[in-house]
Amino acid sequence: MDSKFIAFRLHSFCFLLLFSHVTFGELSYSFPEEMKRGSVIGNLAKDLGLETGALSNRRARIDTDGTDKRYCDINLNNGELIVADRIDREGLCEEKASCILRHELVLENPLELHRISLHIQDINDNSPQFKEELINIEIHELAVRGARFVIEEAHDADVGQNSVQQYSLKKNDNFILAANGNTIELVLDKELDREKQQKLNLLLTALDGGSPQRSGTVVIHVTVLDANDNAPVFSQAVYEASLPENSPVDTVVVTVSATDADEGINGNITYEFGHITENVKKMFCIDSKSGEIRVIGAVDYETTTSYEIRVKAKDGLGLSSYAKAIISITDVNDNAPVVNLKSLTNPIPEDTTPGTEVGIINVQDRDSERNRQVRCSIQQGAPFKLVPSIKNYYSLVTTGQLDRELVSDYNITITATDEGSPPLSSSKSVQLSVADINDNPPVFEDQSYSAYVSENNKPGSTLCSVTARDPDWRQNGTVIYSVLPGEVNGAPVSSYVSVNGDTGVIHAVRSFDYEQLRSFKVQVMARDNGSPPLSSNVTVSVFVSDVNDNSPQILYPAPEGNSFMTELVPKAAHGGSLVSKVIAVDADSGQNAWLSYEIVKSTDPGLFTIGVHSGEIRTQRDISESDSMKQNLIVAVKDNGQPSLSATCSMYLLISDNLAEVPELKDISYDEKNSKLTSYLIIALVSVSTFFLTFIIIILGVRFCRRRKPRLLFDGAVAIPSAYLPPNYADVDGTATLRSAYNYDAYLTTGSRSSDFKFVTSYNDNTLPADQTLRKSPSDFADVFGDSDGSPEQQKPPNNDWRFTQGQRPGPSGPHMPYGTHIRWTPKDGTRATGGPEVAMGTGPWPQPPTEAEQLQALMAAANEVSEATATLGPGTMGLSTRYSPQFTLQHVPDYRQNVYIPGSTATLTSNPQQQQATAQQATQQALPPPQASAQPEPPKAAQTPASKKKSTKKEKK
């Protein structure tokens, strides 16, 4: 910006007002019009002697009077006053020589008001302009030299040096130009001759004094007439009139008049406006015949206070004259005061002290003089008041203590009234909010809380809810709940309950047991989120209610399995006699612990009764001889809960006068234990079956691995390695009661305690080795079983006394797996002997090679028979127990040959002694040397002992 266009004036003075901290001053700046937006006008901070940051801290701002547009603003960063909008001097001030814009600079804390006057300097931005592009003038040819003819001047919107300064007329033969101020005249310098020239065109130029210079031109068309000597003359050169603002349309403001000395058409005068602005054209009009100036627009004193209008009077032949009409606008009280809120501290902290300034109010009235004098008031009841400060500014200050919890918002109505007639007033509502401070702790709705919960509740279940209210606002009123540290039964209280920090809902952390904990107390704290935070506490009592979760516990009789208790009832007991009493307790409380007794099962239902509440067992009638000695009562004990729980016990009663009459007490509980025994048997059966299947799989696997190895044909006398025997078989050696030349090995099952031992007659010391007796023909094999004619198809029917039943016969057709006996004996010289004449063992091949399953079947059958034989031997017979007589010899061995069954064959040996003897002799002659000792006669069978009878009786029951 060029400095030559800026002039600065600073006037500062202080007024003694109500508040000493309020100051008033004036700043004046001059700058040219049409400056760009953002151009710097001046530096307010420097001119006021303030720090750059002070303007921002004190909320500096530019205010305007009334509704005036704001053309400048403040850069708070550097304190410069800058152009905010386009400034056109001609648009703002029109033809006024001085154009001043008035603004106000407002500073707060403390309040300061500085008036800013902006002097707008004109620049030469407008050219001179004539009203018309062509001016017509009619002049009589008899006009004398020196005659003057008035020409309407040019108009330039600029002022001062930039306005029209001079005129020039293009050189011609008849006219020269005479200019005196705003009066421009054509002077006839040479007489006109209509016969030579009837029309003339003159070029008139208007020049301003600006730089660069601007100009405007107009063409003057002169017509030469025969005769017209006089021009119109106005009655007065200046007409003045006063017009109240807001006058209605078509109001006559003033009437101008002019006369012409000529007669006829030369004396007819018409009126019109000379050069006027567009605003005047919109506001007034003139009657061309009468000369009346009338209102055609809205007249506003606050917009324009006066109008200057140039009026032209012209006769019929074109001669004219000019006059001026000045119209002054008078003010009326047509504008109500306007209340402007310039500054407001919102919200206001509730701890604000009385007398604090919270707002600045500015009141404007566009009227003048008395009509613009304003008084302000505020509504009653609000803790605020208005205090006049500078000129038309008021301070809004507090008068009492504020409490947001009582009144959080204020709607303040400010009323401004002027002194006009009639007075006008206006009001403005100001919304003020009271800012909260954390001055209230949370308050619980109740003094204490109680929660009731049933025992065995699920962890996480809701116990109760606590609620605290904080009248403060937002974070100051946000309540957070927590459980204060403590102990319940030696454990942290946090392990029992928890609280939701947002809702205050208390949850159970664990499942409660009424029998262990019936009630406890918890301290819950409600804390707000203010700074500093405030809090309060409340006690929550938790009561655990009982549920029926404990069955009755029977103290007497003792629970089954701990002891076997029996009550003796005398045979002479009468009806109603006390026999026994069932004693039970319940860990629950209340009706859940009320017990009732009932006999659910008894040996004799009509013999005994029990007290419903006492548990006393009494006889219902006298005991008779026909009553069973053993009485079993099953007593049920029920509580009174919902649903009820119960327990049962067994009461064993013996109707006897002394214990000697009682045979066995253990049979009393047979029925009760029978169910348990059944369970045990099922478990055992499943275990044995699993083990047996595992054993079969192992044996088959071993057989498959050895199937390609050389092996002998199946021979019952060949020893089976111990690795092939299942773990429940025992290898039993001889009892050393036989002759020293024999040694017996028997493979028995460990579980065959009730089986009979099947014994076969041994061979002598001269038995051939096994490798010499394995090659026998099928005929030799058949001879061993007494086939006299050598045909295997013809076989004598076996003796019915020794025939196996279908259930006892081993093999796939029977219900049991085949079992047999395998007896191994060895001479002293270590040579393994083959089978004797009693059985065909190792004496030849099978009719068909036995399969592995058949061999295994034979092995199991042999082991079973040995086990059964061992279990049935009595005293004096051969066995493996140490209880047998040491003097036992071969002659005591009974002949069990009829019990021998050949595995894999359907033949059954006969019990004919003659046929057996012949078969034995024939076998001896073929394979063996003469025996050293003959067979002893078969001793009689031993008598059965009571123990054996008892075992057989149990077998029959099973």
Side-chain angles (χ1 to χ4, degrees):
M1 180 182 64
D2 196 346
S3 60
K4 68 180 180 180
F5 294 107
I6 300 178
F8 170 74
R9 294 186 305 154
L10 174 63
H11 302 280
S12 179
F13 52 93
C14 297
F15 291 90
L16 183 61
L17 299 174
L18 181 61
F19 296 101
S20 61
H21 68 276
V22 179
T23 60
F24 178 80
E26 182 176 353
L27 299 173
S28 178
Y29 295 94
S30 296
F31 59 95
E33 63 172 333
E34 302 292 347
M35 290 181 65
K36 294 182 179 180
R37 289 182 177 87
S39 300
V40 178
I41 299 174
N43 193 305
L44 294 176
K46 181 178 180 181
D47 296 338
L48 294 174
L50 301 175
E51 297 292 337
T52 303
L55 295 178
S56 177
N57 296 334
R58 298 181 63 179
R59 295 192 287 183
R61 62 186 179 275
I62 297 293
D63 287 339
T64 59
D65 290 339
T67 57
D68 294 342
K69 188 175 182 179
R70 188 174 63 181
Y71 292 96
C72 60
D73 206 347
I74 302 174
N75 187 339
L76 297 177
N77 295 326
N78 50 28
E80 293 177 344
L81 182 66
I82 59 177
V83 176
D85 201 352
R86 177 177 177 265
I87 301 176
D88 183 13
R89 197 205 69 84
E90 289 77 26
L92 295 174
C93 303
E94 297 183 351
E95 296 180 357
K96 293 181 180 179
S98 176
C99 185
I100 300 175
L101 299 179
R102 301 186 184 278
H103 291 67
E104 293 177 348
L105 172 65
V106 180
L107 300 176
E108 299 182 12
N109 300 320
L111 176 64
E112 292 183 9
L113 180 65
H114 300 274
R115 185 175 295 276
I116 301 176
S117 298
L118 301 178
H119 296 264
I120 310 302
Q121 296 179 351
D122 180 52
I123 62 175
N124 192 23
D125 57 343
N126 294 282
S127 298
Q129 291 182 351
F130 289 93
K131 179 182 177 182
E132 299 173 350
E133 294 181 357
L134 180 63
I135 299 176
N136 293 312
I137 300 177
E138 296 176 349
I139 303 175
H140 199 276
E141 64 179 344
L142 298 179
V144 296
R145 184 176 179 272
R148 294 176 177 269
F149 303 94
V150 178
I151 303 298
E152 187 175 355
E153 74 277 8
H155 176 75
D156 194 332
D158 296 326
V159 295
Q161 190 67 24
N162 295 324
S163 63
V164 178
Q165 299 296 323
Q166 61 181 347
Y167 295 90
S168 66
L169 181 66
K170 188 177 180 181
K171 187 175 181 181
N172 59 85
D173 296 334
N174 300 98
F175 294 95
I176 61 174
L177 184 65
N180 183 14
N182 291 330
T183 303
I184 304 172
E185 295 176 331
L186 286 176
V187 179
L188 183 61
D189 188 50
K190 183 181 179 181
E191 291 84 356
L192 299 174
D193 188 356
R194 186 173 182 277
E195 285 75 16
K196 293 181 178 180
Q197 190 175 9
Q198 296 181 358
K199 296 181 179 180
L200 297 174
N201 288 325
L202 305 176
L203 181 62
L204 178 62
T205 302
L207 300 174
D208 63 18
S211 179
Q213 191 178 46
R214 295 176 179 270
S215 63
T217 62
V218 67
V219 175
I220 303 174
H221 182 72
V222 178
T223 302
V224 180
L225 300 176
D226 287 339
N228 186 16
D229 296 335
N230 300 297
V233 178
F234 281 97
S235 60
Q236 58 190 62
V238 178
Y239 294 90
E240 294 182 355
S242 176
L243 178 66
E245 64 173 331
N246 301 326
S247 295
V249 177
D250 206 29
T251 300
V252 177
V253 180
V254 64
T255 301
V256 296
S257 64
T259 60
D260 193 325
D262 297 329
E263 296 180 356
I265 191 172
N266 295 331
N268 293 333
I269 300 175
T270 60
Y271 302 94
E272 63 182 21
F273 287 141
H275 183 274
I276 57 176
T277 63
E278 293 296 327
N279 292 334
V280 175
K281 291 180 181 180
K282 295 177 181 180
M283 197 69 62
F284 302 99
C285 68
I286 188 170
D287 191 320
S288 60
K289 298 299 183 180
S290 63
E292 293 178 350
I293 299 176
R294 296 176 179 272
V295 177
I296 61 174
V299 180
D300 187 6
Y301 173 84
E302 288 74 33
T303 302
T304 304
T305 59
S306 65
Y307 295 93
E308 185 175 326
I309 304 174
R310 191 171 180 82
V311 182
K312 176 181 178 181
K314 184 175 68 171
D315 61 14
L317 295 179
L319 297 179
S320 61
S321 62
Y322 293 88
K324 182 184 296 185
I326 298 176
I327 303 173
S328 299
I329 309 299
T330 60
D331 181 46
V332 295
N333 191 25
D334 60 339
N335 292 284
V338 178
V339 179
N340 299 311
L341 182 63
K342 298 299 183 180
S343 175
L344 183 65
T345 302
N346 194 20
I348 311 168
E350 60 178 326
D351 58 348
T352 301
T353 57
T356 302
E357 181 183 85
V358 297
I360 298 175
I361 307 299
N362 175 256
V363 180
Q364 296 286 343
D365 194 325
R366 299 183 63 189
D367 296 326
S368 62
E369 298 179 356
R370 186 176 180 84
N371 293 334
R372 69 177 305 169
Q373 296 180 6
V374 180
R375 61 180 184 275
C376 291
S377 62
I378 194 172
Q379 67 185 26
Q380 299 296 324
F384 301 95
K385 68 178 180 178
L386 288 175
V387 177
S389 60
I390 303 172
K391 196 180 176 183
N392 52 354
Y393 281 84
Y394 295 85
S395 295
L396 181 65
V397 297
T398 60
T399 59
Q401 188 68 41
L402 304 178
D403 189 353
R404 194 204 69 84
E405 288 72 38
L406 296 178
V407 181
S408 59
D409 296 284
Y410 290 94
N411 187 6
I412 302 173
T413 302
I414 300 174
T415 303
T417 306
D418 61 20
E419 299 294 334
S421 179
L424 300 178
S425 64
S426 63
S427 60
K428 184 178 183 63
S429 295
V430 178
Q431 295 288 338
L432 274 177
S433 299
V434 181
D436 180 57
I437 62 172
N438 193 26
D439 56 346
N440 294 281
V443 178
F444 285 95
E445 292 182 350
D446 298 326
Q447 297 295 328
S448 62
Y449 291 85
S450 298
Y452 298 90
V453 59
S454 299
E455 63 174 331
N456 302 326
N457 58 295
K458 292 182 179 180
S461 59
T462 301
L463 300 182
C464 67
S465 176
V466 296
T467 304
R469 306 292 182 184
D470 193 326
D472 293 328
W473 179 248
R474 292 187 178 177
Q475 65 178 8
N476 294 332
T478 301
V479 180
I480 301 174
Y481 302 92
S482 61
V483 177
L484 293 178
E487 290 187 355
V488 176
N489 288 348
V493 71
S494 59
S495 64
Y496 285 85
V497 295
S498 65
V499 64
N500 188 308
D502 298 327
T503 62
V505 177
I506 299 177
H507 300 278
V509 176
R510 62 168 65 178
S511 179
F512 299 133
D513 189 357
Y514 175 82
E515 288 71 34
Q516 296 181 359
L517 181 66
R518 298 192 176 187
S519 65
F520 60 94
K521 293 184 178 181
V522 179
Q523 289 287 329
V524 178
M525 178 180 69
R527 175 180 57 85
D528 59 27
N529 205 22
S531 179
L534 302 177
S535 62
S536 59
N537 303 333
V538 72
T539 301
V540 178
S541 301
V542 180
F543 299 94
V544 181
S545 59
D546 182 46
V547 297
N548 192 26
D549 59 340
N550 292 281
S551 301
Q553 300 293 323
I554 300 176
L555 304 180
Y556 182 85
E560 185 177 352
N562 295 340
S563 63
F564 186 78
M565 305 181 66
T566 304
E567 296 283 350
L568 288 179
V569 181
K571 294 181 179 180
H574 298 285
S577 300
L578 179 62
V579 174
S580 182
K581 183 177 182 179
V582 178
I583 302 175
V585 294
D586 196 319
D588 296 325
S589 64
Q591 65 177 5
N592 295 329
W594 297 351
L595 302 180
S596 61
Y597 302 86
E598 179 186 3
I599 297 177
V600 297
K601 185 177 180 182
S602 63
T603 304
D604 188 352
L607 185 56
F608 297 99
T609 184
I610 188 170
V612 176
H613 301 295
S614 63
E616 296 178 349
I617 299 176
R618 297 178 180 273
T619 57
Q620 287 188 355
R621 57 177 176 80
D622 296 341
I623 296 176
S624 62
E625 293 294 336
S626 61
D627 293 331
S628 176
M629 178 183 298
K630 301 175 183 178
Q631 296 288 333
N632 183 14
L633 304 181
I634 298 179
V635 179
V637 183
K638 297 182 180 179
D639 57 23
N640 199 31
Q642 292 295 331
S644 63
L645 303 177
S646 63
T648 58
C649 66
S650 296
M651 178 69 72
Y652 304 110
L653 304 177
L654 292 178
I655 301 177
S656 177
D657 293 332
N658 55 67
L659 231 79
E661 299 177 359
V662 182
E664 293 184 4
L665 297 178
K666 65 180 181 179
D667 292 338
I668 299 178
S669 60
Y670 174 77
D671 294 337
E672 288 73 10
K673 296 181 180 179
N674 191 22
S675 59
K676 295 184 179 179
L677 180 60
T678 302
S679 302
Y680 297 154
L681 289 177
I682 292 174
I683 296 173
L685 180 59
V686 173
S687 301
V688 171
S689 300
T690 304
F691 176 78
F692 177 73
L693 292 176
T694 305
F695 171 75
I696 292 299
I697 293 172
I698 294 174
I699 293 299
L700 292 177
V702 173
R703 289 288 186 178
F704 178 77
C705 294
R706 298 183 58 188
R707 64 183 298 181
R708 294 186 179 182
K709 294 183 180 180
R711 59 183 177 84
L712 299 177
L713 294 176
F714 183 82
D715 186 0
V718 178
I720 298 175
S722 60
Y724 281 66
L725 297 176
N728 61 341
Y729 283 85
D731 189 0
V732 184
D733 293 336
T735 59
T737 59
L738 301 179
R739 296 168 58 183
S740 61
Y742 296 92
N743 187 18
Y744 294 88
D745 292 334
Y747 293 91
L748 308 177
T749 58
T750 58
S752 302
R753 295 187 298 272
S754 60
S755 301
D756 294 334
F757 179 77
K758 310 301 181 181
F759 183 80
V760 296
T761 307
S762 64
Y763 296 102
N764 55 18
D765 295 337
N766 296 327
T767 303
L768 293 178
D771 56 357
Q772 299 179 9
T773 61
L774 293 177
R775 302 182 182 274
K776 282 191 176 184
S777 62
S779 61
D780 297 335
F781 185 79
D783 292 340
V784 177
F785 294 93
D787 189 0
S788 59
D789 55 359
S791 177
E793 289 81 2
Q794 297 178 0
Q795 180 180 356
K796 288 185 179 182
N799 194 329
N800 294 330
D801 298 335
W802 299 98
R803 186 178 298 275
F804 291 126
T805 65
Q806 184 66 22
Q808 296 172 344
R809 185 180 305 239
S813 61
H816 307 287
M817 294 297 292
Y819 294 92
T821 304
H822 184 131
I823 301 179
R824 180 173 56 128
W825 61 90
T826 306
K828 291 183 178 180
D829 55 1
T831 303
R832 177 74 65 174
T834 62
E838 290 79 8
V839 292
M841 301 175 62
T843 58
W846 294 84
Q848 291 181 357
T851 63
E852 292 177 77
E854 290 174 342
Q855 295 180 24
L856 180 61
Q857 194 175 38
L859 174 63
M860 299 298 294
N864 184 55
E865 287 189 7
V866 172
S867 176
E868 292 178 355
T870 305
T872 56
L873 288 180
T877 61
M878 180 180 177
L880 302 180
S881 176
T882 55
R883 65 181 180 177
Y884 301 137
S885 172
Q887 291 80 18
F888 181 78
T889 59
L890 283 174
Q891 61 183 359
H892 299 105
V893 178
D895 188 3
Y896 287 97
R897 289 173 294 178
Q898 60 273 22
N899 290 338
V900 177
Y901 175 76
I902 303 302
S905 175
T906 58
T908 305
L909 297 185
T910 181
S911 61
N912 190 346
Q914 295 179 0
Q915 186 177 355
Q916 294 176 4
Q917 184 175 3
T919 303
Q921 289 177 0
Q922 183 179 359
T924 304
Q925 292 174 3
Q926 293 178 1
L928 297 177
Q932 295 180 2
S934 60
Q936 298 295 329
E938 183 178 358
K941 295 182 179 180
Q944 291 184 347
T945 63
S948 62
K949 288 182 179 179
K950 187 174 182 180
K951 291 181 179 179
S952 62
T953 303
K954 289 184 177 182
K955 286 184 178 180
E956 293 173 358
K957 290 181 178 180
K958 292 181 179 180

